[in-house]
């Protein structure tokens, strides 16, 4: 089945930028719903940004105008460009991939990565 791995996290000062990547193995011709989530210690996991099956993107209000989500379906990649980072962006960031139905798609379920840590200092 699909394996999901995030990368690109690190420690950055407030106002800086980071670019996160999410790699999903296998089934390159399948259409996916792809989303980023984040979770701070002691807090509930929350939606950040994502791309639906039809290619439309959406964002949480807290990151609109600062974050940009994009994808490369040929490489099974999902990206999150994060600009003007704030201390409240500090969290573990997770990638979630959900395939559409089809002969060239895997079993339909949510596939999660193990996360990449983003730490913003003020």
């Amino acid at each position: 089945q699909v394996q999901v791995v995030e990368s690109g996290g690190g420690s950055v000062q407030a106002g800086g930028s980071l670019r996160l990547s999410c790699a999903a193995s296998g089934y390159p011709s399948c259409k996916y719903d792809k989303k980023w989530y984040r979770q701070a210690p002691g807090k509930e996991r929350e939606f950040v940004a994502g791309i639906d099956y039809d290619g439309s993107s959406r964002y949480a209000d807290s990151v609109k105008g600062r974050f940009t989500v994009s994808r490369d379906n040929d490489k099974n990649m999902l990206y999150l460009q994060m600009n003007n980072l704030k201390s409240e962006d500090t969290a573990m960031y997770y990638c979630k991939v959900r395939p559409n139905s089809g002969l060239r798609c895997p079993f339909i379920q949510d596939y999660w990565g193990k996360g990449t840590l983003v730490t913003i200092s003020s």
Side-chain angles (χ1 to χ4, degrees):
Q1 295 181 338
V2 176
Q3 297 291 322
V4 181
V5 180
E6 304 95 338
S7 62
S11 298
V12 180
Q13 290 185 333
S17 299
L18 281 174
R19 190 190 191 200
L20 306 184
S21 298
C22 169
S25 64
Y27 306 93
S29 297
C30 182
K31 294 182 178 179
Y32 295 92
D33 172 272
K34 301 176 181 178
K35 294 180 173 62
W36 288 99
Y37 290 77
R38 67 186 182 188
Q39 186 171 23
K43 297 183 179 180
E44 186 175 350
R45 185 176 300 182
E46 63 178 354
F47 170 79
V48 177
I51 300 177
D52 296 326
Y53 301 115
D54 62 358
S56 61
S57 60
R58 60 188 179 94
Y59 301 87
D61 289 340
S62 60
V63 306
K64 287 182 178 178
R66 300 188 298 119
F67 291 9
T68 302
V69 64
S70 61
R71 68 181 182 184
D72 185 342
N73 285 340
D74 291 338
K75 299 179 180 179
N76 294 325
M77 297 291 292
L78 178 72
Y79 305 99
L80 184 66
Q81 179 65 47
M82 305 187 295
N83 298 325
N84 192 24
L85 286 162
K86 304 176 181 180
S87 60
E88 52 264 40
D89 294 320
T90 295
M92 184 73 74
Y93 284 72
Y94 299 91
C95 178
K96 187 190 77 173
V97 175
R98 185 178 181 86
N100 195 5
S101 62
L103 294 176
R104 296 186 289 184
C105 292
F107 182 79
I108 299 177
Q109 66 178 44
D110 291 335
Y111 296 90
W112 290 88
K114 294 184 177 181
T116 185
L117 182 63
V118 173
T119 302
I120 310 302
S121 60
S122 59

